[in-house]
Amino acid sequence: MNTFWHLEKEDFFRGIDDVKSIFLENAHRLELPKNETVFLEGDAGDTCFYIESGLVRIFGTAGFGKEMTFSLRMRGEFFGLSEVLNSSPRKAGAQTASPSVLYSIGQQSFETLLRDHYPLARRVITLLGRRLRYMGDMVRRQNDDVANRLASLLISLAYDTLRTTEDWDKPCEIPLNIPQEQMASMVGSTQPTVSATLQRFRMDGLIVGNGRKIVLLNPIEMIYRLDHNLL
């Protein structure tokens, strides 16, 4: 659906394999265990990262010192870009949510690649535009109730599996096993509230779930209810 173009995910280097090869030659490979800190809020933003495998949590501190997860970065994604391009300190922290293999590259080397390879620069601009739109949606939904925020999160997590118009009318499984505590952090709520809201979604026939696995039974119906404040 065109309304959700900013949620599309694909390997950052898809279609520019020659640039990927040059990037990997200039980057440093990191093998990190689960829960390893990549960087913290306030650290120097002099490196950006490409995820070869694994999952990375981007987080920050909300009011009263409460930690909040802003996003989850998956295989094929970049993170840490904004600070490198702006030469600014980190605005959030990053931590592995599973064993991960990352490629890191320093600011000077990355800027050289951007200067010498226009397809890479264009890809970065497109990526930052999508993330700006996503952050705008997050801010806009902060005044919504938990049901709307949670539905929006579920759609964003499932979006990469919804490739065709027909897919939106069929059940789809969210590809990540995310604990309810993590969901609560991402929508600014509590685990009991998220649990109760998921149960309501089940009773309304919008989802089925077994443990951490959640299946959206009719994604387009959830989108309709979300857009019309019917959740």
Side-chain angles (χ1 to χ4, degrees):
M1 297 180 68
N2 291 336
T3 305
F4 301 96
W5 60 270
H6 59 293
L7 296 178
E8 292 179 3
K9 291 189 178 103
E10 60 183 19
D11 192 293
F12 178 84
F13 289 106
R14 183 175 179 267
I16 52 172
D17 292 339
D18 55 335
V19 179
K20 181 177 182 178
S21 296
I22 296 170
F23 169 83
L24 294 179
E25 290 173 4
N26 288 273
H28 179 60
R29 189 174 188 269
L30 304 170
E31 294 188 21
L32 303 178
K34 181 179 179 180
N35 296 328
E36 181 79 5
T37 297
V38 182
F39 54 75
L40 293 172
E41 185 175 350
D43 285 353
D46 54 5
T47 310
C48 55
F49 301 84
Y50 171 75
I51 305 175
E52 181 181 79
S53 64
L55 187 67
V56 175
R57 181 175 72 98
I58 308 299
F59 66 95
T61 303
F64 307 105
K66 182 179 179 181
E67 191 177 283
M68 180 175 183
T69 300
F70 298 136
S71 60
L72 296 170
R73 300 291 177 222
M74 306 174 213
R75 178 175 60 86
E77 290 194 85
F78 249 96
F79 67 96
L81 280 171
S82 297
E83 295 90 349
V84 166
L85 297 175
N86 293 317
S87 299
S88 61
R90 298 293 184 192
K91 302 298 190 298
Q95 180 187 50
T96 57
S98 70
S100 302
V101 176
L102 311 179
Y103 280 90
S104 67
I105 189 167
Q107 182 178 31
Q108 185 173 352
S109 296
F110 192 64
E111 288 181 347
T112 299
L113 289 178
L114 291 175
R115 185 188 65 229
D116 295 343
H117 301 279
Y118 173 73
L120 177 64
R122 182 178 177 84
R123 193 63 57 89
V124 168
I125 292 170
T126 301
L127 176 62
L128 293 178
R130 285 178 175 173
R131 290 184 178 170
L132 183 62
R133 169 65 184 273
Y134 175 76
M135 292 303 295
D137 279 358
M138 283 186 65
V139 172
R140 189 164 52 251
R141 293 199 183 278
Q142 285 307 302
N143 293 325
D144 290 349
D145 61 22
V146 173
N148 281 290
R149 298 202 302 272
L150 185 57
S152 181
L153 173 64
L154 295 178
I155 289 295
S156 69
L157 293 173
Y159 190 85
D160 199 41
T161 67
L162 304 171
R163 290 297 186 183
T164 68
T165 302
E166 291 76 16
D167 289 335
W168 285 88
D169 291 316
K170 298 186 297 186
C172 74
E173 184 177 289
I174 292 176
L176 298 175
N177 295 329
I178 302 179
Q180 291 182 7
E181 293 83 358
Q182 193 78 44
M183 290 186 186
S185 176
M186 296 180 77
V187 300
S189 184
T190 64
Q191 186 276 327
T193 300
V194 165
S195 179
T197 305
L198 290 173
Q199 180 60 24
R200 205 175 91 206
F201 287 173
R202 292 187 190 95
M203 294 176 65
D204 289 344
L206 294 172
I207 67 171
V208 294
N210 179 16
R212 295 180 182 177
K213 282 289 186 182
I214 295 177
V215 176
L216 306 185
L217 292 176
N218 190 334
I220 197 65
E221 174 65 18
M222 180 169 279
I223 287 293
Y224 177 83
R225 297 194 188 191
L226 179 63
D227 285 344
H228 292 81
N229 293 314
L230 298 176
L231 290 168

